[in-house]
Each structure stands twice: as structure tokens, then as C-alpha cells.
Amino acid sequence: MVEASTSFNHHVASMRDHDHTLVTAGIFSIVRHPSYLGFYMFTLGSQLLLFNPICFVGFAFVLHRFFQNRIRTEEAHLIRFFGQDYTNYRSVTPTYLPFIQ
């Protein structure tokens, strides 16, 4: 949140604000969606620590569907906002989320 500054929002923006910038430095130079990856790792990691295989599988399924849809929607807007700059960034920076390009 700190790294993205004024470009961060908990909701997927469908309109570009005047202060939105494409953030590709810091943690964003390593992973495209660091908060999604962190939430994914925390949620599944907690189920591993609790030895809860049923919830692990259930959470993995639900999180995958949620993040796949959210990232698809969010990145469509980012491509519209930033064009080739975002496409280039996307091509070299992974999500590290399983089966989500």
C-alpha cells in the first residue's frame, strides 16, 4: 500500500484518476500483485499450520477463482489506463499465484 501510494485502492478502479501512476518499482518490480500473493500465502499457510487439509483445498479453490477473476478484470483496466507500458510490465513481472498468468 505504501509503495503504490495514491494509485492504491481496495476496489478495482474502472476510471483512471488524475494521480494514478503505473508503479513498477520496489516490491512491484518482483511481483505484479503483492497483496494478493501475501493474502494467498497467509490463508493457505495458516491452514497448513492448523493441519486442516479440507479447508486448505477449499480455500485454494475459492482463492484461485477469486484472484483469477479479479486479476483479469483489474489488468484489463490497467491495460486500458497505461497501454503498452502495462503490457510490457506484465510480460516481465509474474504473479507467482499458481496457474494465474
Side-chain angles (χ1 to χ4, degrees):
M1 288 171 36
V2 171
E3 191 78 47
S5 184
T6 59
S7 295
F8 178 83
N9 195 329
H10 285 287
H11 304 284
V12 175
S14 60
M15 302 280 292
R16 183 177 177 186
D17 285 343
H18 69 281
D19 58 351
H20 277 173
T21 59
L22 179 58
V23 180
T24 60
I27 190 71
F28 289 93
S29 67
I30 300 167
V31 59
R32 274 199 326 262
H33 302 282
S35 61
Y36 299 166
L37 178 62
F39 186 82
Y40 188 86
M41 291 172 56
F42 169 78
T43 302
L44 295 183
S46 66
Q47 296 313 302
L48 283 176
L49 289 172
L50 294 170
F51 301 106
N52 194 344
I54 294 170
C55 284
F56 179 88
V57 171
F59 285 1
F61 176 77
V62 169
L63 288 172
H64 181 268
R65 288 192 57 157
F66 174 78
F67 286 129
Q68 186 176 42
N69 291 332
R70 185 168 176 112
I71 287 171
R72 185 182 305 123
T73 301
E74 183 175 330
E75 290 191 344
H77 292 303
L78 289 167
I79 289 169
R80 192 167 42 86
F81 296 166
F82 301 108
Q84 192 62 42
D85 288 340
Y86 188 78
T87 303
N88 294 341
Y89 167 70
R90 181 181 172 184
S91 70
V92 297
T93 311
T95 66
Y96 292 110
L97 293 166
F99 310 108
I100 299 176
Q101 304 276 335

